[in-house]
Amino acid sequence: GAVVSQHPSRVICKSGTSVKIECRSLDFQATTMFWYRQFPKQSLMLMATSNEGSKATYEQGVEKDKFLINHASLTLSTLTVTSAHPEDSSFYICSAETGGGGYSNQPQHFGDGTRLSIL
Amino acid sequence: QKEVEQNSGPLSVPEGAIASLNCTYSDRGSQSFFWYRQYSGKSPELIMFIYSNGDKEDGRFTAQLNKASQYVSLLIRDSQPSDSATYLCAVATYGNNRLAFGKGNQVVVIP
């Protein structure tokens, strides 16, 4: 259970291109999904929290106009990197929380990640 | 002070031995604690989660939580070469589903 699918797994494109990444929860509904970025040899950095039916919450320093997030259904969130440049090259990973209530946070389960390379 | 710290350098352990990983956190309001395993070039995979003080065992893995001292640890018993990976500690505060990650500890199991 708790499978998160992320697509595509790898993107190589020219500078100035916009790239869309999809994140789907396959066997559960996720009201909240998360988008992370990871540079080589570094830990995960949370970019934004995606909430179904409402605007995403971005972390400090993340440009919301550059990284567009849409969470249109309980099983799908998308991240669009607009006008990507070489410095946006990174490993982008989404996650979803299984929910279920209770007083503690439920574990986040991660997609396989998208390796983005901007030439 | 960083929210979540994993200070140890790469950890090399012989096959069959116990690998011990430590993590400290700064927010006393933290309620939920997670260990993820990340193979090189892959995304993190949930290993353990713990909410209460004490030990929690799952197979060869044991998570230990001490909220008074603000640390959480992970023990890997009977280490296998397939355990060679980076282990990430993550912490969340009650009512805030944002996870704070440590930098990770690399574990190398030597056959």
Side-chain angles (χ1 to χ4, degrees), chain A residues 32 34 36 38 42-44 46 49 59 91 93 97 102-113 115, chain B residues 31-32 34 36 38 41-44 46 49 51-52 88 92-99 101-104:
Chain A
T32 304
F34 306 86
Y36 294 85
Q38 187 177 37
Q42 296 186 24
S43 190
L44 279 74
L46 179 65
T49 302
E59 294 296 302
F91 190 40
I93 316 172
E97 195 176 78
Y103 72 95
S104 297
N105 302 91
Q106 296 298 308
Q108 291 182 23
H109 296 269
F110 287 84
D112 288 339
R115 196 160 301 281
Chain B
Q31 294 278 354
S32 307
F34 308 88
Y36 287 87
Q38 187 175 25
K42 302 295 184 181
S43 67
L46 180 69
F49 59 92
Y51 302 138
S52 304
L88 301 170
T93 305
Y94 173 62
N96 179 354
N97 52 14
R98 174 186 174 277
L99 276 182
F101 281 87
K103 291 179 64 176

Side-chain angles (χ1 to χ4, degrees), chain A residues 6 8-15 17-21 36-40 47 66-67 79-93 113-119:
Chain A
Q6 187 173 342
S9 58
R10 185 172 182 94
V11 179
I12 302 173
C13 58
K14 294 180 180 180
S15 183
T17 305
S18 291
V19 178
K20 183 188 243 183
I21 303 169
Y36 294 85
R37 181 167 52 182
Q38 187 177 37
F39 292 106
M47 299 176 65
K66 174 137 185 98
F67 300 99
L79 168 69
T80 301
V81 183
T82 62
S83 187
H85 292 285
E87 59 266 28
D88 298 321
S89 298
S90 188
F91 190 40
Y92 292 85
I93 316 172
T114 297
R115 196 160 301 281
L116 178 61
S117 300
I118 307 298
L119 306 177

Side-chain angles (χ1 to χ4, degrees), chain B residues 9-86:
Chain B
L11 178 65
S12 293
V13 296
E15 184 173 355
I18 295 175
S20 177
L21 304 172
N22 294 314
C23 169
T24 59
Y25 59 94
S26 60
D27 186 351
R28 282 196 171 274
S30 299
Q31 294 278 354
S32 307
F33 307 87
F34 308 88
W35 283 99
Y36 287 87
R37 176 176 63 197
Q38 187 175 25
Y39 292 114
S40 181
K42 302 295 184 181
S43 67
E45 172 191 9
L46 180 69
I47 297 295
M48 294 281 294
F49 59 92
I50 186 168
Y51 302 138
S52 304
N53 278 326
D55 295 359
K56 179 181 179 182
E57 187 175 315
D58 184 358
R60 296 186 295 110
F61 299 97
T62 299
Q64 299 174 318
L65 175 60
N66 184 321
K67 289 186 179 181
S69 299
Q70 295 177 245
Y71 82 78
V72 56
S73 62
L74 179 70
L75 300 177
I76 308 173
R77 291 183 300 282
D78 188 23
S79 295
Q80 302 297 309
S82 58
D83 295 327
S84 298
T86 296

